[in-house]
Amino acid sequence: MLLVIDVGNTQIKLAVFEHDTLICKEIISYDNWQNAIENILKKNKKIQNCVVASVGKLNKEDFLALNSNIKVHFISKESKFPFQNLYASPNTLGIDRMILAAGAVLQFPNKNRLVIDLGTCITYDYIDEKNNYLGGAISPGIRLRYESLHNYTAKLPLLSKEIPEKLIGNSTNQSIHSGVINGISMEIDGFINSNLHQNDNFIIILTGGDAEFLAERLKNTIFANPNFLLESLNQTFQYNQQ
């Protein structure tokens, strides 16, 4: 059994895999991350390895004090990946985007792939059918858009995400919901349509914390999987063990 740890910007995701089967998953805060991991290890005594990828506040040294009975591995830019990185600034490409690209290549061979990750930021990553990573885009996620409207104006309220009732909001709150949610939906559909017009043999993978919330609002047929990063981290670890 393998413990997979994805350290994000605002939260930490934990998952236990047995080969390619997801056994359990937890989302935890930074406040109690060590206790949460120790509890998972106690409940799943067959775990022998742990793999970590971090874009957040925790680094390699933070995990070395974990249960000495397991071996801790780190996926970094020096790890092996099943694609050729053609990014103009490869050293600046986030490890989370690299892992998503690896998962897309390993799960969907011989296809053009667009991976859309709806997290704190929305990232778009394109890997062609020849397994070349070409790049993508980064834009603010749902929470960042709501917070920006509140923090950088004098009177707009801070709202929680909500599906707008109409395209044209008839109140300030509904106008904000429409601008944020419909704006993101149209943005995503725009990226997808542009890629579909240029390429065939194409698959779109939607993942991240807000994937299920937005999936039904998108016009295009997509493969929505909120656990895709965790699955991709598991597969990237297995790829590096071969």
Side-chain angles (χ1 to χ4, degrees), residues 52-73:
V52 181
S54 176
V55 297
K57 304 171 187 175
L58 303 179
N59 54 39
K60 185 175 182 178
E61 288 70 27
D62 293 310
F63 289 93
L64 294 179
L66 285 176
N67 191 320
S68 59
N69 294 325
I70 66 168
K71 187 174 182 180
V72 181
H73 309 263

Side-chain angles (χ1 to χ4, degrees), residues 173-200:
N173 284 12
Q174 284 302 312
S175 295
I176 292 173
H177 289 312
S178 179
V180 172
I181 304 305
N182 289 321
I184 286 179
S185 300
M186 292 176 186
E187 173 191 308
I188 293 172
D189 276 325
F191 271 97
I192 292 173
N193 287 332
S194 295
N195 281 283
L196 289 176
H197 288 156
Q198 298 175 29
N199 304 283
D200 54 9

Side-chain angles (χ1 to χ4, degrees), residues 97-118:
R97 297 177 69 188
M98 296 179 71
I99 290 168
L100 288 169
V105 170
L106 294 171
Q107 286 198 39
F108 303 100
N110 305 315
K111 287 185 175 293
N112 295 303
R113 310 99 168 167
L114 177 64
V115 185
I116 305 170
D117 184 14
L118 295 167

Side-chain angles (χ1 to χ4, degrees), residues 99-204:
I99 290 168
L100 288 169
V105 170
L106 294 171
Q107 286 198 39
F108 303 100
N110 305 315
K111 287 185 175 293
N112 295 303
R113 310 99 168 167
L114 177 64
V115 185
I116 305 170
D117 184 14
L118 295 167
T120 303
C121 293
I122 302 173
T123 58
Y124 302 82
D125 294 289
Y126 182 75
I127 313 96
D128 70 16
E129 60 189 352
K130 296 181 180 178
N131 297 338
N132 295 309
Y133 178 88
L134 301 180
I138 304 173
S139 70
I142 291 178
R143 183 178 63 83
L144 281 180
R145 298 190 194 206
Y146 278 112
E147 290 181 352
S148 295
L149 289 172
H150 173 68
N151 292 335
Y152 292 99
T153 63
K155 296 183 178 180
L156 291 181
L158 177 60
L159 305 179
S160 299
K161 65 183 179 184
E162 179 182 302
I163 298 297
E165 297 175 2
K166 301 176 182 178
L167 180 63
I168 300 174
N170 63 356
S171 68
T172 297
N173 284 12
Q174 284 302 312
S175 295
I176 292 173
H177 289 312
S178 179
V180 172
I181 304 305
N182 289 321
I184 286 179
S185 300
M186 292 176 186
E187 173 191 308
I188 293 172
D189 276 325
F191 271 97
I192 292 173
N193 287 332
S194 295
N195 281 283
L196 289 176
H197 288 156
Q198 298 175 29
N199 304 283
D200 54 9
N201 189 30
F202 203 81
I203 185 166
I204 301 103

Side-chain angles (χ1 to χ4, degrees), residues 29-67:
S29 67
Y30 276 86
D31 296 334
N32 66 339
W33 70 273
Q34 289 172 313
N35 289 336
I37 291 173
E38 291 295 343
N39 287 336
I40 282 187
L41 294 175
K42 289 177 182 177
K43 294 177 183 176
N44 301 274
K45 297 186 181 298
K46 292 183 179 180
I47 294 175
Q48 296 179 326
N49 292 283
C50 168
V51 60
V52 181
S54 176
V55 297
K57 304 171 187 175
L58 303 179
N59 54 39
K60 185 175 182 178
E61 288 70 27
D62 293 310
F63 289 93
L64 294 179
L66 285 176
N67 191 320

